[in-house]
Amino acid sequence: MTEHDLRLVALAALVCALASLTAVNLLHHVLRLESMSRGIWLTVAAAATGFGIWSTHFIAMLAYSPALPTAYNIALTAISLIAAVVLTGLGFGIALLPGLIASRWIGGAAVGGGIAVMHYTGMAAFEVAGTLAWDPTMVAASILLGGLLGAAAVAVALHRATLASKIAGALLLTLAICSHHFTAMGAVSVTPDPSIALSSSAIPAEWLALGVAVVSLAILLLAFMALILDVRERRRIGLEIQRMRDLTDAALEGLVLCAGATIVTVNQSFARLTGLKVEQIGGQDLAAWLQDTQKREMLFAVPGQAVETELRHGDGTLLPVELIARPINYKDEPHTVIAVRDLRDRRNAEAQIRFLAHHDPLTGLGNRASFDQRLDREISLHGRSGRQLALLCLDLDGFKDVNDLHGHAAGDQLLKDISKNLSTALAEDQMIARLGGDEFAVIVPSITDPAHVGQLAETLLKSLKSADETGIPTNLVSVSIGIALYPSDAKDRTELLSSADTALYRAKTEGKGTYRFFEAAMGAQIRERRSLEHDLRSAIANGELSLAYQPQAQVDTGEVNGFEVLLRWNHPTRGPVSPSTFIPIAEESGSILKIGEWVMHEACREAANWMRPLAIAVNVSALQLTSDGFVEFVRRTLEDTGLPPERLEIEITETALIRDPNRALLTLQKLKAIGVNLAMDDFGTGYSSLSNLRAFPFDKIKIDRSFIHEVHDNPQAAAIVRAVLGLGRGLGLPVIAEGVETSEELSFLGSEGCTEAQGYLFGRPAPIGEFVPLLSNNVVALPKPLLRAVGD
């Protein structure tokens, strides 16, 4: 009885599909907006969908051909359009409510109800020359079908913001509209009745076709606008995602985005922590990387709380990490972002700090703090048990020379090598610590026999000789060891350290490179030395120092060439203090610098006043020679006193040269440039004498007194003196013999061609006032008896 124009049916389906896709895109656009803008775009979505439903219905009605005159009631047609828009908007509004359970299903069902209301209102507007009969079952089926499919369409469309979800939702909505329409049309039958006339106010089908065309065009425009919005939004989201990924990849911390317990994506920093690629991690369960269930629960239970745990590396190893989780909204869905901080560097730094708190950073040995703790603990334990404890204090002899000659890097390496060798020589229960500089200490618990401690000291001395990795000559460095026992030598840590240090000082003063046990008498000696050191610092200010002069003369004629200056100390309570006692103390304490300047200035001032231009010889210590500004001090002293530079003779021992040969050579060259004469003192007793004569610009050689005293008793000493005199002649250097005390010694020197000498035979050191005749132009030679002794 009736037929459908399939072309119009296809057009209705197309319009319906466009309207549905437009509705879905607009709904997602509404979800992305702030609440203030949602109402406007929700109205646009409702209008687009309502018009789409309405156009679908009436295009399909135009396709319906009952072969009878038809028309449409204006009011009901308008009402059907309004109903479609209002009920669709109501349904969309319900679907977007955040707090309502199953809101999307309820809202979709409301949209399905709007389809039914629009359809049946539109059918009520349908006028035909006949009567309409309805099948109640089919009517109910159409309403139910539209409601169910409408509910499913909205729920599926809003489930995810993916393209698949949008297309699926649009298809379901299209199916809801079309299935409802054609099911409802199947429920109606038309019986022709010529007596029924169409109302004059009804809209002819042709006019309705024009209206539908306009509405369809509006739907297409809305669809195009929705498409533009969707493309632009997708591009914006894509750019934001890429920008966010770039930012997260630039972060030093690992970042993990999770949907529940599933990893959505990670940044490059996290991927590097695991040793895998980003693509290999996405989609996996978080538990695969964070295996501690309790720590994962703590992480999600309190957002923002730092949780320390272990992260599984791709190779199965575990890395210490710190985690902080925060909830975020990602692609309109709740997610969790987890910041992962690598704790390996921090743990290593903490371990290093703990190590440095108890160990020496250079050698790795225990430091002073850990040594004190261990010694206090051992003293407490041995005090209760009654057992003996030994403390060994070690000090490197000549270590400063190593630094001066070879540099601090070589010195540091030497300390490392020595520490390693000393540690190897100790038992497991014995502790060695570096107390500072070149000072070490060893704790030896549970001593049964002090002789065993002596054996250990011997072992430590031998171990030092194998510490030659640096290539430093073994004759430069030795070790001295002082040993004290608890409780016999001390009652606490401070006293025990003091006793061991006292024994160490005894070992250093008795030849170095050896060990000594503490003895009660040592304490008094140490106090005596410290008292002298203290008094020596104020000796210049108190006028306690004075100069003595010893003449230097020609061997053959007795003519005085000059004087050597010797330092004397007259202590206010002790009386005269031997130079062999206080000079080493001055050198070790550093006060020799100030004293040496005083000696140099006083000697030059005195010599500048002599009538005869005799030479003045001044001894200079190694510390003075290598001190900053020494050359300038000499130049300034000569200028201040008016002494010609060629009258000053600086005497230097070979020991002073080896501290820093390069610096010593530079200093001597500068002194020569001033015009000062240089003499090598105590020749033959130091290191590498021949090489020193060749390398350094000396003007004179002084033979040490130890050889002169033995020329008649020791053939080897006599041979050495002859060799030195021959060497001087070969090098063109004058040789002066020290310590000449007998006429026999003078006779030997004269027969061997020695030209100058000094010693008690020519005059004992005395104040310059006792040599006034020798300073005048009238007396230039020593008494005749001395000259006859040369000829005998």
Side-chain angles (χ1 to χ4, degrees), residues 106-335:
I106 296 172
V111 172
I115 296 171
V117 170
M118 189 286 308
H119 178 84
Y120 288 109
T121 304
M123 288 302 296
F126 180 61
E127 295 185 6
V128 65
T131 58
L132 303 178
W134 297 91
D135 182 350
T137 303
M138 293 292 288
V139 171
S142 68
I143 296 173
L144 181 62
L145 191 61
L148 290 174
L149 289 175
V154 174
V156 170
L158 297 181
H159 179 61
R160 293 184 184 277
T162 61
L163 182 62
S165 294
K166 291 180 179 181
I167 292 175
L171 289 175
L172 285 172
L173 185 57
T174 301
L175 185 60
I177 297 170
C178 293
S179 62
H180 172 83
H181 175 82
F182 290 106
T183 303
M185 292 303 294
V188 65
S189 59
V190 180
T191 302
D193 186 354
S195 62
I196 298 175
L198 303 178
S199 66
S200 58
S201 61
I203 304 174
E206 292 79 7
W207 289 16
L208 182 61
L210 180 60
V212 170
V214 173
V215 171
S216 299
L217 181 60
I219 293 173
L220 290 174
L221 289 174
L222 287 173
F224 182 71
M225 290 175 59
L227 181 61
I228 291 176
L229 285 173
D230 187 64
V231 169
R232 189 179 67 179
E233 188 64 21
R234 281 180 175 278
R235 183 179 179 184
R236 184 186 66 82
I237 292 174
L239 290 174
E240 287 185 356
I241 292 174
Q242 185 59 45
R243 187 160 51 246
M244 186 62 67
R245 182 173 295 279
D246 291 341
L247 287 174
T248 57
D249 285 342
L252 297 178
E253 294 180 340
L255 296 176
V256 182
L257 182 67
C258 293
T262 302
I263 297 176
V264 177
T265 186
V266 300
N267 69 346
Q268 292 290 347
S269 294
F270 183 83
R272 283 192 292 270
L273 281 177
T274 62
L276 300 176
K277 295 181 179 179
V278 173
E279 298 78 15
Q280 295 176 284
I281 304 172
Q284 295 193 30
D285 196 289
L286 186 63
W289 307 101
L290 304 176
Q291 298 176 332
D292 192 325
T293 304
Q294 183 179 3
K295 293 296 179 68
R296 288 200 312 274
E297 292 175 353
M298 290 173 57
L299 181 67
F300 288 102
V302 185
Q305 175 184 348
V307 176
E308 291 190 9
T309 184
E310 292 180 323
L311 174 71
R312 185 180 67 83
H313 190 270
D315 60 8
T317 58
L318 298 177
L319 309 177
V321 293
E322 181 184 70
L323 309 175
I324 299 177
R326 294 189 184 278
I328 65 167
N329 190 38
Y330 179 74
K331 292 186 177 181
D332 301 322
E333 295 291 336
H335 287 72

Side-chain angles (χ1 to χ4, degrees), residues 701-703 708 735-740 749 754 756-759 762:
I701 302 173
K702 298 189 74 174
I703 303 177
I708 304 301
V735 177
I736 180 170
E738 291 185 294
V740 179
L749 292 171
C754 182
E756 291 184 69
Q758 74 178 77
F762 299 97

Side-chain angles (χ1 to χ4, degrees), residues 318-526:
L318 298 177
L319 309 177
V321 293
E322 181 184 70
L323 309 175
I324 299 177
R326 294 189 184 278
I328 65 167
N329 190 38
Y330 179 74
K331 292 186 177 181
D332 301 322
E333 295 291 336
H335 287 72
T336 302
V337 64
I338 303 172
V340 183
R341 180 176 299 165
D342 187 357
L343 295 183
R344 284 178 293 182
D345 289 343
R346 192 172 82 182
R347 293 281 175 85
N348 291 338
E350 290 172 351
Q352 183 69 8
I353 291 172
R354 288 193 298 270
F355 179 84
L356 292 177
H358 298 89
H359 294 81
D360 172 54
L362 177 64
T363 63
L365 300 179
N367 62 6
R368 188 61 183 255
S370 62
F371 168 78
D372 289 345
Q373 293 176 4
R374 172 71 182 274
L375 187 56
D376 285 340
R377 186 167 65 251
E378 293 293 346
I379 288 175
S380 177
L381 292 173
H382 286 70
R384 291 195 298 268
S385 65
R387 294 176 298 171
Q388 276 194 314
L389 167 72
L391 174 64
L392 286 71
C393 284
L394 294 77
D395 187 83
L396 299 183
D397 308 314
F399 180 71
K400 187 178 187 303
D401 293 332
V402 172
N403 279 333
D404 292 341
L405 289 170
H406 302 279
H408 290 282
D412 290 346
Q413 185 60 49
L414 180 64
L415 287 175
K416 293 178 184 178
D417 295 338
I418 289 174
S419 300
K420 179 181 177 182
N421 286 30
L422 293 175
S423 300
T424 305
L426 298 178
E428 186 175 350
D429 63 337
Q430 298 167 355
M431 175 190 180
I432 181 171
R434 183 186 179 207
L435 303 187
D438 57 349
E439 300 175 8
F440 299 84
V442 177
I443 299 173
V444 185
S446 303
I447 296 301
T448 57
D449 186 353
H452 295 161
V453 184
Q455 294 172 1
L456 175 61
E458 290 283 2
T459 303
L460 294 175
L461 292 175
K462 293 178 182 177
S463 71
L464 178 64
K465 296 179 180 179
S466 61
D468 57 358
E469 288 85 345
T470 57
I472 295 170
T474 54
N475 62 348
L476 284 186
V477 182
S478 61
V479 65
S480 298
I481 303 176
I483 305 171
L485 302 176
Y486 172 86
S488 57
D489 296 335
K491 302 302 180 184
D492 55 30
R493 169 166 55 87
T494 303
E495 190 176 348
L496 187 62
L497 278 167
S498 177
S499 298
D501 189 59
T502 300
L504 172 63
Y505 176 72
R506 170 63 65 85
K508 292 178 76 69
T509 57
E510 293 186 359
K512 303 180 181 180
T514 185
Y515 68 92
R516 291 290 182 268
F517 281 88
F518 174 76
E519 297 173 5
M522 293 180 179
Q525 296 174 354
I526 295 298

